[in-house]
Amino acid sequence: MEDITVSAPGKVILHGEHAVVYGKVAIAASLNLRTYLLLRRSADNNISLDLPNITIKRSWTTDRIKSQVSLPLCDPNKPVGVSEELLTLLKDVAGVHQNESDTKQLAVITFLYLYCALAAHNGTVPAIDLKVVSIQPVSAGLGSSASYSVCLAASLLQLSGIISTPSGDGQWSEEERVLINSWAFFGEKILHGNPSGIDNSVSTFGGAIKFKSGKITPLRRVPKLHILLVNTGIPRSTKVLVARCRARYEKHPDIIEPVLNSIEAISHRCEEVLAKMADSPSNDQYEILEDLIDINQCHLGALQVNHPALEEIVRTAAKYNLHAKLTGAGGGGCAFILIKPDIPLKTVTDIKSEFATMKFQCWETSVGSPGVTAHCGNDDELNRLFS
Ligand code: MEV
């Protein structure tokens, strides 16, 4: 069997993070910061997992999986989440204490679940070496865990022949992507508890999407938006921040519900303006986008997911007449700054050096790269990444 190499993008949520967990609309787009996965049949009888970004290297014998897990688990064409009973068993296989739940351990359990459900779907247990390398910062609000789950689901479904091996542009059919996305969502659930599904959806489908209660609508008319991503370097847990926001909502539902409704109105306005800008972007439209960024940043503060370092980014951007908001779960992680086309190059260079003195890493990028992709043939860059 040929090696399987896939990649999936990270994401930036333009508007609607947290509100989306309550069924409100969010607007998100993929980023050209990707996670790459290499799956190789193994010559020995082991299943090995190598995640260098989070210093995880684990392996299990195929006999151990066969003897401990009752296979097959389910029909791979009917995605289903892990049961409590199976989770307990997989924690045991992974050697994780039952009450431990840090990201590294959850990443191992996510792999074991998707491996057993997809690679071992007919009861046979293939020996494989699987390595995942991400060029996205991890735990920074840019969807690295979702792109991990998407890469796992796509490669393991392809290994089992449940989805095809794409040729040419490396894109799977719409139906196949729906299947990848559903399995990736159940991976995300292991990692994040109760995610909305927006992160895995952007990572699977790419481009820009509108997301509401699991419904994904691709935004076909979007201008080429230029942004500066700034990473506070403060790691945080999406699960903890979603729970913090929930606690505030439950304490003051009559006050927080209108905030969530206002965030939804911002997402709608953003969608409208982006569609108008696709034809002929004007300065007025960019100014509306900047207003939306400022208002939403305040709302996210009201939801208690801001952080002093994120505020520092917002203040620094304001000095240059630029507008910033946190993106993703908040509490640290990343903010984005909208770069209008008329912003002088010097302004961007100056603000980047100011962030560098603050030890904040920056990426200047545009949004809307392709979703999950299979890489065929011999690619020097990928070879270097996995060497
Ligand atoms: C995380 O990228 C976005 C949140 O809205 C959580 C979610 O939607 O699952 C904070």
Side-chain angles (χ1 to χ4, degrees), residues 95-168:
V96 168
H97 292 299
Q98 290 302 329
N99 53 359
E100 274 178 347
S101 60
D102 83 8
T103 310
K104 290 185 182 196
Q105 291 151 343
L106 294 177
V108 175
I109 292 165
T110 302
F111 163 73
L112 282 173
Y113 178 56
L114 293 178
Y115 173 87
C116 291
L118 304 179
H121 74 103
N122 57 7
T124 57
V125 180
I128 57 167
D129 295 327
L130 192 144
K131 183 170 181 175
V132 183
V133 178
S134 189
I135 55 165
Q136 305 168 239
V138 172
S139 294
L142 301 182
S144 62
S145 74
S147 52
Y148 169 67
S149 292
V150 170
C151 284
L152 283 179
S155 60
L156 296 168
L157 282 163
Q158 184 181 323
L159 174 74
S160 314
I162 299 159
I163 60 172
S164 64
T165 301
S167 53

Side-chain angles (χ1 to χ4, degrees), residues 11 13 16-21 141 143 194-199 236 238 242 328-329:
K11 61 94 204 351
I13 297 187
E17 50 273 270
H18 290 287
V20 70
V21 174
N194 202 14
S196 63
I198 188 168
D199 292 7
R236 66 321 151 273
T238 299
V242 168

Side-chain angles (χ1 to χ4, degrees), residues 208-229:
I209 64 163
K210 174 164 96 171
F211 186 94
K212 184 179 169 87
S213 305
K215 184 166 184 279
I216 306 153
T217 313
L219 302 185
R220 307 256 176 236
R221 290 159 42 77
V222 176
K224 198 167 173 62
L225 279 189
H226 210 63
I227 58 168
L228 184 67
L229 278 166

Side-chain angles (χ1 to χ4, degrees), residues 49-87:
L49 175 68
D50 186 4
L51 308 176
N53 294 77
I54 55 169
T55 58
I56 286 279
K57 221 171 176 160
R58 301 290 309 274
S59 90
W60 303 265
T61 62
T62 50
D63 284 347
R64 173 142 183 237
I65 299 291
K66 260 190 261 173
S67 67
Q68 280 196 262
V69 187
S70 158
L71 296 168
L73 288 183
C74 56
D75 176 352
N77 285 301
K78 297 200 175 104
V80 59
V82 69
S83 65
E84 277 305 315
E85 195 188 343
L86 181 59
L87 190 63

